[in-house]
Amino acid sequence: MSVTILTEIDKADVLISGLRKHLDEAKELGITTDAINRLDEAAKALKQKDEELENLRRQTTIKGRENRDLLANLKNQMLGMRKAVKSRYPQYEWIKYGVQDKR
């Protein structure tokens, strides 16, 4: 969870708790029980969505790592095959085997 979001959720929780403890005075300020409940729900919803976002970030990191590993594997396989072609045939014949680079 990001520090900013965690800080705001904590501030909201403290505010909610304080307003509920002093509900009579809060009502005099125009703050209703419904408003406090909506604030509580908003804080809970933000916390849930932020947790979902963190899970997606973790999954993205894992998938990115897997993708880089697959790319490295692909490059290694191609390198071995290109080397085999280059060591066996003259440069002008490399293209017919799909080897595009030059020495």
Side-chain angles (χ1 to χ4, degrees):
M1 188 174 289
S2 73
V3 175
T4 303
I5 291 177
L6 182 60
T7 301
E8 291 305 312
I9 291 171
D10 287 343
K11 287 179 183 179
D13 287 343
V14 170
L15 179 61
I16 291 163
S17 176
L19 290 172
R20 284 190 174 148
K21 285 180 186 174
H22 303 283
L23 190 56
D24 292 334
E25 291 95 344
K27 285 182 180 179
E28 291 175 10
L29 299 172
I31 301 172
T32 64
T33 303
D34 288 340
I36 296 170
N37 290 339
R38 285 193 306 271
L39 179 61
D40 191 25
E41 289 302 315
K44 288 176 182 175
L46 177 60
K47 184 176 181 179
Q48 178 186 356
K49 287 297 177 186
D50 196 57
E51 288 171 355
E52 289 175 17
L53 181 60
E54 287 300 315
N55 286 334
L56 290 171
R57 285 184 180 139
R58 280 190 288 278
Q59 290 175 5
T60 300
T61 299
I62 291 168
K63 294 293 181 184
R65 221 175 272 137
E66 290 172 357
N67 203 35
R68 286 188 297 276
D69 291 346
L70 289 170
L71 176 62
N73 183 8
L74 176 73
K75 284 183 168 185
N76 283 335
Q77 289 182 42
M78 289 190 322
L79 179 64
M81 291 177 191
R82 283 195 303 258
K83 281 184 177 182
V85 169
K86 286 179 178 182
S87 68
R88 173 77 189 247
Y89 299 102
Q91 184 176 357
Y92 65 89
E93 289 188 30
W94 293 354
I95 194 68
K96 75 179 183 182
Y97 296 100
V99 177
Q100 300 174 7
D101 56 348
K102 300 186 180 358
R103 276 191 190 170

